[in-house]
Amino acid sequence: MNTVRVAALQMRSGMEVEGNVAAFEALVREAAGKGAVYVQSPEMTGILVRDRQTLFERIRPAEENPLVRRARALARELSLFLHVGSTAIPLDGGKVANRAFLFGPDGALIATYDKIHMFDVDLDKGESWRESATYAPGGETMVAALPFARLGLSVCYDLRFPQLFRAQALAGAEVLTVPAAFTRQTGEAHWHVLTRARAIENGAWLIAAAQGGRHEDGRETYGHSLIVDPWGRVVAEAGHDEPAVIIADIAPGAVAEARAKIPNLKNARDFAVSEAAYGQERAAS
């Protein structure tokens, strides 16, 4: 079975864009040196900062963005598919896009994707996030056709919405991607379960590059970047929260095998939802 070597970069991005770009480049070069032809970085590769004013002072439009420019050049120089998991891009109207970029080996931009689901949550120990206060949600998912597989794009909190990945799988996606900055609290509880579940229920490979450790703005992210096969087996993992490169040789043909064994994409049926309550007689059907 033909294989392709892929890599996920684990980072600890901070508040200084230049430093993040330098760290990104070093990890990309390491992955390329190990033979990877597809490389994915985490969510918010270019800057990770909670303060809104600081964020707006330091981010730039895509055409001027140092990370986007460097990623394009690296993809061309190293002749690989380079997937910037996401970075902050300013929009009109005072909001920001949490945007992924996928470049080809010629440096051409293949696709972008804006994170759809906003991380608006209230966790234990007083940890609270309101992503929608700063970021504007995207409105469409993306499946990119690469020479070795069709790639479904997502970002972080999207992982909790299985309908997104099911739509990608039905559109032919064989590799699902989940660049992330999972908090330590949610990562310890749910990261492995959710990534493996998305791979299993869609019979697809899943690549998830993650942020890890304590960041300059005080947040803690879980790390544990993963590559999961269509049967739900973890084939590569950074078993910690330190910066790292993980590598795996994935076989796109394994997708067809998994989907043939358990054809749940074909077996799914539409259904209605009814209600019943104690004390109310239900009509016989």
Side-chain angles (χ1 to χ4, degrees):
M1 188 178 294
N2 293 332
T3 63
V4 59
R5 181 158 292 187
V6 302
L9 312 181
Q10 186 156 291
M11 297 182 63
R12 187 174 295 159
S13 296
M15 297 164 59
E16 298 295 335
V17 174
E18 294 79 6
N20 297 331
V21 173
F24 164 77
E25 178 170 351
L27 292 171
V28 171
R29 290 189 181 279
E30 181 181 342
K34 294 178 177 178
V37 299
Y38 164 87
V39 179
Q40 178 193 128
S41 71
E43 180 184 29
M44 286 298 155
T45 294
I47 186 169
L48 201 64
V49 55
R50 191 164 186 170
D51 181 71
R52 180 184 173 91
Q53 181 177 343
T54 303
L55 177 69
F56 274 91
E57 288 173 353
R58 299 184 181 184
I59 61 176
R60 297 291 180 268
E63 60 274 11
E64 304 170 17
N65 189 284
L67 173 66
V68 175
R69 286 181 168 180
R70 195 72 198 115
R72 182 191 296 274
L74 283 169
R76 184 187 303 113
E77 176 193 343
L78 301 173
S79 191
L80 48 74
F81 292 93
L82 187 48
H83 178 182
V84 176
S86 83
T87 199
I89 300 295
L91 300 172
D92 294 336
K95 286 292 184 77
V96 177
N98 190 340
R99 181 169 296 169
F101 294 82
L102 177 61
F103 294 100
D106 57 355
L109 179 63
I110 299 170
T112 63
Y113 166 75
D114 288 0
K115 183 177 181 179
I116 292 173
H117 299 97
M118 298 289 94
F119 191 53
D120 292 356
V121 303
D122 296 298
L123 304 174
D124 293 341
K125 303 176 184 178
E127 185 177 357
S128 181
W129 299 91
R130 288 294 179 272
E131 197 169 49
S132 63
T134 299
Y135 294 88
E140 62 180 7
T141 190
M142 172 63 66
V143 176
L146 304 187
F148 57 87
R150 291 175 64 84
L151 201 75
L153 304 186
S154 79
V155 175
C156 200
Y157 190 49
D158 287 334
L159 180 61
R160 294 183 180 273
F161 299 86
Q163 64 272 26
L164 174 66
F165 300 90
R166 177 51 53 90
Q168 292 178 349
L170 291 173
E174 298 150 309
V175 179
L176 308 175
T177 66
V178 192
F182 253 58
T183 70
R184 182 172 301 280
Q185 186 174 171
T186 59
E188 288 175 345
H190 301 145
W191 176 246
H192 289 81
V193 173
L194 290 172
T195 50
R196 294 183 66 203
R198 297 297 86 83
I200 292 166
E201 66 200 11
N202 293 295
W205 291 91
L206 186 144
I207 305 171
Q211 296 280 355
R214 178 174 288 277
H215 299 263
E216 285 182 274
D217 70 351
R219 81 181 72 196
E220 288 189 75
T221 54
Y222 183 59
H224 291 266
S225 298
L226 293 170
I227 301 173
V228 184
D229 79 3
W231 206 246
R233 293 173 291 224
V234 175
V235 299
E237 177 176 1
H240 50 72
D241 63 11
E242 296 294 326
V245 174
I246 62 169
I247 298 283
D249 294 319
I250 71 170
V255 172
E257 290 186 358
R259 291 174 179 175
K261 291 174 182 176
I262 303 181
N264 59 320
L265 297 181
K266 294 181 180 179
N267 291 346
R269 295 176 56 85
D270 293 332
F271 53 87
V273 177
S274 299
E275 293 186 9
Y278 176 73
Q280 295 182 3
E281 183 175 354
R282 181 177 171 84
S285 57

